[in-house]
């Protein structure tokens, strides 16, 4: 496949912290020990005021929307500006905006159009949503497209706590809010090159993970966890031989970044694939499941640690059921 160059990433997490003690105090039958045993998460961020969650448990989705301290547009704008700064670019350098994730704020217009408006740029903009695997799906399709502008901005604004019932302990412990942004190019080389992508789905599982238009997030937790382990492991093992051959030649290292939903799933996948603890990057302990922004936020947080010769293997899964993988090779600086 033609290379898709990754020039920079940016991320944004809201300030409000939901820790396990906060969830204990909601009196919904959960404890710090119960949470750590099941998902390994200690903290999450939220765009919702903490007093609002205490008082209402977010029973009314419309009230949650109105109470939110940040919109998807604002978190998308902040993450995009961080990515632009890291790339040494201006908003006017962007020729296309692609957005997507799990929980858009409006049916129309596309969130990409609203974020482009907030950035003050008049360019083609559209959403490509594939739930938690959106980032992989977006890069997979961009890598297959011709005639792209020099720089494309990819944004995943994920403020899904607005759709979480804090009376449901199985959902409340999982979700956090975060937004990622990436700048990619098929034309202008950069030190990070996306050299391999996949995208697949099993629509038979379409009802396994849902956020209804007027309802809270629900999932078949056991079935989804089994799917996540099996599929992430398959994606990772398909990429490992090529990555190991390359890092053997370059002396570089492999870094695995999976979908940030459950620490126990990530540990299980890495152990089965024979990867050491130091070969896996994650932020699920501190930020919870931040949907499509999880893996690119992790990559953004570790961007400065990537050295020539390294290879990053990204495997993400999501509602649909969908999954995607990316292999990103780090080359000499350009």
């Amino acid at each position: 496949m033609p290379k898709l160059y990754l020039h920079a990433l940016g991320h944004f997490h809201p300030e409000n912290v939901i820790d396990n003690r906060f969830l204990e105090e909601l009196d919904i039958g959960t404890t710090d020990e119960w949470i750590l045993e099941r998902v390994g998460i200690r903290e999450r961020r939220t765009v919702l005021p903490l007093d609002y969650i205490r008082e209402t448990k977010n029973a009314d989705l419309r009230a949650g929307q109105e109470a939110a301290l940040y919109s998807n547009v604002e978190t998308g704008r902040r993450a995009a500006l961080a990515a632009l700064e890291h790339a040494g670019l201006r908003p006017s350098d962007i020729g296309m905006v692609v957005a997507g994730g799990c929980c858009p704020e409006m049916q129309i217009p596309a969130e990409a159009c609203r974020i482009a408006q907030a950035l003050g740029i008049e360019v083609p903009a559209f959403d490509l949503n594939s739930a938690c695997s959106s980032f992989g799906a977006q890069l997979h399709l961009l890598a297959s497209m011709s005639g792209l502008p020099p720089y494309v901005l990819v944004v995943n604004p994920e403020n899904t706590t607005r759709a979480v019932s804090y009376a449901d302990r199985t959902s409340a412990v999982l979700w956090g809010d975060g937004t990622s942004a990436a700048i990619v190019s098929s034309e202008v080389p950069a030190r990070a090159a996306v050299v391999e992508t996949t995208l697949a789905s099993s629509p038979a599982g379409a009802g396994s993970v849902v956020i209804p238009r007027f309802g809270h997030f629900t999932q078949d937790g056991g079935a989804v966890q089994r799917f996540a382990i099996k599929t992430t492991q398959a994606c990772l093992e398909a990429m490992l031989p090529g990555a190991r051959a390359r890092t053997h030649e370059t002396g570089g290292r492999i870094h695995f970044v999976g979908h940030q939903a459950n620490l126990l799933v990530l540990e299980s996948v890495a152990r089965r694939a024979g990867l050491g603890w130091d070969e896996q990057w994650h932020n699920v302990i501190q930020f919870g499941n931040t949907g499509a922004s999880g893996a690119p936020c992790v990559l953004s947080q570790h961007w400065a640690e990537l050295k020539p010769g390294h290879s990053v293997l990204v495997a993400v899964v999501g509602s649909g059921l969908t999954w995607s993988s990316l292999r990103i090779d780090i080359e000499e600086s350009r």
Side-chain angles (χ1 to χ4, degrees):
M1 57 166 273
K3 290 182 179 178
L4 184 70
Y5 295 102
L6 184 54
H7 280 257
L9 292 115
H11 62 275
F12 174 78
H13 293 103
E15 299 86 353
N16 283 348
V17 177
I18 298 176
D19 59 20
N20 290 349
R21 177 61 62 88
F22 178 89
L23 294 172
E24 283 184 17
E25 293 172 353
L26 292 181
D27 196 22
I28 55 176
T30 190
T31 65
D32 178 62
E33 183 181 17
W34 186 88
I35 297 169
L36 293 178
E37 284 180 353
R38 284 159 178 79
V39 295
I41 298 171
R42 295 185 182 277
E43 295 182 352
R44 316 120 191 99
R45 303 296 180 93
T46 178
V47 297
L48 297 174
L50 298 182
D51 284 344
Y52 166 81
I53 296 175
R54 288 190 188 97
E55 294 166 5
T56 71
K57 294 188 173 62
N58 197 32
D60 182 345
L61 293 174
R62 176 175 293 182
Q65 182 79 19
E66 293 173 352
L69 302 174
Y70 295 97
S71 67
N72 283 9
V73 173
E74 180 57 19
T75 63
R77 187 187 72 85
R78 294 186 181 216
L81 290 176
L84 286 164
E85 181 180 357
H86 295 157
L89 298 173
R90 299 167 299 179
S92 58
D93 294 317
I94 296 299
M96 177 182 286
V97 179
V98 182
C102 296
C103 195
E105 279 178 325
M106 295 185 177
Q107 300 299 314
I108 55 171
E111 296 214 307
C113 293
R114 299 174 66 215
I115 292 169
Q117 180 190 43
L119 292 169
I121 51 179
E122 285 283 303
V123 298
F126 61 93
D127 287 355
L128 197 165
N129 293 304
S130 187
C132 295
S133 61
S134 292
F135 179 69
Q138 290 159 341
L139 265 57
H140 176 78
L141 291 180
L142 286 170
S144 70
M145 293 173 67
S146 60
L148 291 173
Y151 296 107
V152 178
L153 173 65
V154 178
V155 187
N156 300 111
E158 292 285 47
N159 299 308
T160 311
T161 61
R162 294 171 309 187
V164 170
S165 167
Y166 286 91
D168 173 10
R169 66 174 182 172
T170 62
S171 299
V173 303
L174 290 176
W175 285 96
D177 293 336
T179 297
S180 65
I183 296 171
V184 302
S185 177
S186 59
E187 180 179 321
V188 184
R191 73 183 186 113
V194 182
V195 299
E196 182 180 338
T197 70
T198 66
L199 173 64
S201 66
S202 174
S208 299
V209 188
V210 297
I211 301 178
R213 186 174 180 184
F214 302 112
H216 293 99
F217 163 87
T218 61
Q219 70 172 352
D220 180 351
V224 171
Q225 183 162 322
R226 290 190 292 275
F227 154 76
I229 293 174
K230 180 180 177 181
T231 307
T232 304
Q233 183 181 353
C235 288
L236 179 59
E237 292 184 345
M239 294 187 288
L240 269 173
R244 281 182 168 143
R246 178 176 184 267
T247 54
H248 180 72
E249 291 180 0
T250 63
R253 303 185 63 183
I254 290 174
H255 303 284
F256 163 56
V257 182
H259 172 45
Q260 304 297 299
N262 185 322
L263 179 64
L264 280 63
V265 168
L266 295 173
E267 289 176 337
S268 174
V269 169
R271 185 171 58 251
R272 294 179 188 201
L275 291 178
W277 181 249
D278 60 346
E279 293 178 294
Q280 178 182 183
W281 283 340
H282 55 74
N283 68 6
V284 67
I285 298 172
Q286 300 85 13
F287 295 99
N289 182 353
T290 54
S293 75
C297 279
V298 171
L299 198 51
S300 176
Q301 291 172 309
H302 289 275
W303 187 250
E305 300 171 41
L306 292 170
K307 308 297 182 188
H310 289 195
S311 288
V312 182
L313 305 180
V314 178
V316 288
V317 298
S319 173
L321 298 165
T322 60
W323 59 94
S324 178
S325 64
L326 307 168
R327 176 180 145 198
I328 304 168
D329 287 347
I330 309 302
E331 303 171 348
E332 295 292 337
S333 297
R334 295 170 181 266

